[in-house]
Amino acid sequence: MSRRELSGWGRHPVETCEVHRPESPEDLQALVADAPGTLIARGLGRSYGDAALNPEGVVLGRRLDRLLGFDAAHGVLHCEAGVSFAEILDVFLPRGFFFPVSPGTKHITVGGAIAADVHGKNHHASGSMSAFVEDLQLLLASGEIVSCSRQERPELFWATVGGMGLTGVVLDARLRLRRVESAFMQVDLHRARDLDEVLALGEADREYEYGVAWIDCLARGRDLGRSVLMRANHAERAALPPERKATPFAMPHPFRPSVPFLAPDFALNVWTVRAFNEVFYRAHPSGSRLDAAEAYFYPLDRVEGWNLVYGRRGMLQYQAV
């Protein structure tokens, strides 16, 4: 146990918390039984706001990161909750499996993804994380370990998936992965002149499994809401260029820059964001291209520690549905 300052990815708020790092499920069960106060489980800290902050006790589950089994015929992975999406990709993408649903970063744990019921760029077609969780083992505040699924303790299952860790600590889960023919995406970019155009495109076109729009809310006049719509499907092996067909799962490993220091608070402001928006819009003309899956799904993961640009004050993020 130690006392540490913790925050979410937005770096605000910051809380000083009692931090525990159990080495095994048995250690975790003993911790829950003996804890003098309340506890909350924490994954890799990629949530915004005050998720997984608790001065009385935070449980780091990254040591509980074993792969427990894999049913290749049905694509069902059994793993502990501390396994990250990045680790699953490293093992299973070369074997032809990907996530049915994936958020904008691979640096999250399975337990955290279940707690937040994460969604991805195919939310409109495939739903959220809960759609491919078969079942899970949950450690309750009483110290009891129970199994839950859609059939077994369904109310507890649905309270836990999306419950932000408030029902207990997820110990392990069985997840359905999906087969893919390559580690690449066929991406179509469309620059839209305003918000009306990008919304119309998103509603009318059902040819794509994945879609995400970058929208400029700082542009002025007729440019307000100008957008880059990025739609994609998994690339089939037959559609790959000749040099890729022989090794469809050979992933490029580009250089990953990092933000070297905490940015001053004045660095992130309306003028710098407006300038970034202009560069982004100009750098993404309409057209088609072949992208590595990780580049399409996790573009910000290519910059290490990019949340340091939020500065010492941090940033609050609001998500509306």
Side-chain angles (χ1 to χ4, degrees):
M1 183 181 69
S2 62
R3 289 189 65 81
R4 287 171 50 186
E5 286 191 344
L6 296 176
S7 72
W9 193 244
R11 304 181 56 82
H12 178 85
V14 178
E15 297 279 0
T16 301
C17 304
E18 298 283 352
V19 176
H20 308 266
R21 193 186 68 184
E23 300 287 327
S24 67
E26 293 75 24
D27 288 346
L28 176 55
Q29 196 170 14
L31 169 64
V32 169
D34 298 335
T38 58
L39 296 169
I40 192 73
R42 181 181 174 91
L44 286 169
R46 256 53 179 190
S47 293
Y48 281 82
D50 59 356
L53 299 182
N54 178 34
E56 291 186 11
V58 172
V59 180
L60 303 182
R62 279 291 285 139
R63 292 288 192 178
L64 310 179
D65 62 347
R66 293 177 299 168
L67 300 177
L68 301 174
F70 184 61
D71 177 357
H74 298 94
V76 176
L77 170 65
H78 186 201
C79 65
E80 290 184 322
V83 177
S84 73
F85 273 36
E87 291 162 339
I88 292 173
L89 278 177
D90 286 345
V91 174
F92 290 100
L93 185 54
R95 291 167 169 81
F97 290 93
F98 198 76
F99 303 109
V101 172
S102 184
T105 177
K106 62 181 178 178
H107 298 302
I108 60 171
T109 62
V110 167
I114 290 172
D117 195 15
V118 295
H119 68 277
K121 296 175 176 65
N122 60 344
H123 194 190
H124 61 286
S126 300
S128 57
M129 175 83 177
S130 55
F132 67 100
V133 178
E134 293 283 292
D135 51 49
L136 57 90
Q137 295 265 11
L138 186 68
L139 174 60
L140 304 178
S142 64
E144 182 185 4
I145 297 175
V146 298
S147 299
C148 51
S149 66
R150 291 168 182 77
Q151 294 77 34
E152 186 178 10
R153 300 182 181 87
E155 291 185 356
L156 183 57
F157 175 82
W158 289 114
T160 300
V161 178
M164 298 307 291
L166 299 181
T167 60
V169 182
V170 177
L171 296 178
D172 60 73
R174 293 194 310 136
L175 318 172
R176 285 196 319 275
L177 304 181
R178 61 170 293 173
R179 289 189 178 275
V180 292
E181 294 187 16
S182 77
F184 293 90
M185 307 294 294
Q186 185 62 52
V187 182
D188 288 347
L189 302 179
H190 186 101
R191 275 208 311 220
R193 64 181 180 273
D194 56 29
L195 191 60
D196 288 336
E197 183 181 353
V198 75
L199 290 177
L201 285 167
E203 285 297 318
D205 201 333
R206 301 300 181 190
E207 296 178 16
Y208 303 92
E209 181 175 357
Y210 302 95
V212 62
W214 168 91
I215 301 173
D216 187 355
C217 296
L218 293 180
R220 295 176 175 175
R222 296 182 63 182
D223 290 334
L224 178 62
R226 64 181 178 175
S227 309
V228 178
L229 180 60
M230 295 164 274
R231 297 170 291 183
N233 292 312
H234 288 280
E236 297 179 357
R237 184 172 183 174
L240 296 179
E243 66 273 15
R244 296 283 187 196
K245 285 182 180 178
T247 55
F249 295 103
M251 292 294 295
H253 295 285
F255 169 72
R256 293 182 61 194
S258 62
V259 178
F261 53 81
L262 190 65
D265 290 333
F266 62 80
L268 194 65
N269 57 61
V270 67
W271 296 283
T272 56
V273 174
R274 184 173 284 137
F276 172 83
N277 288 353
E278 183 69 31
V279 171
F280 188 95
Y281 186 74
R282 298 297 174 191
H284 292 80
S286 298
S288 298
R289 68 189 191 194
L290 191 70
D291 266 355
E294 294 198 27
Y296 179 72
F297 286 101
Y298 317 118
L300 289 175
D301 284 350
R302 290 182 287 184
V303 180
E304 197 81 44
W306 61 265
N307 66 330
L308 292 176
V309 303
Y310 294 148
R312 194 171 303 279
R313 289 183 303 177
M315 189 191 78
L316 285 175
Q317 182 187 90
Y318 293 86
Q319 293 194 2
V321 178

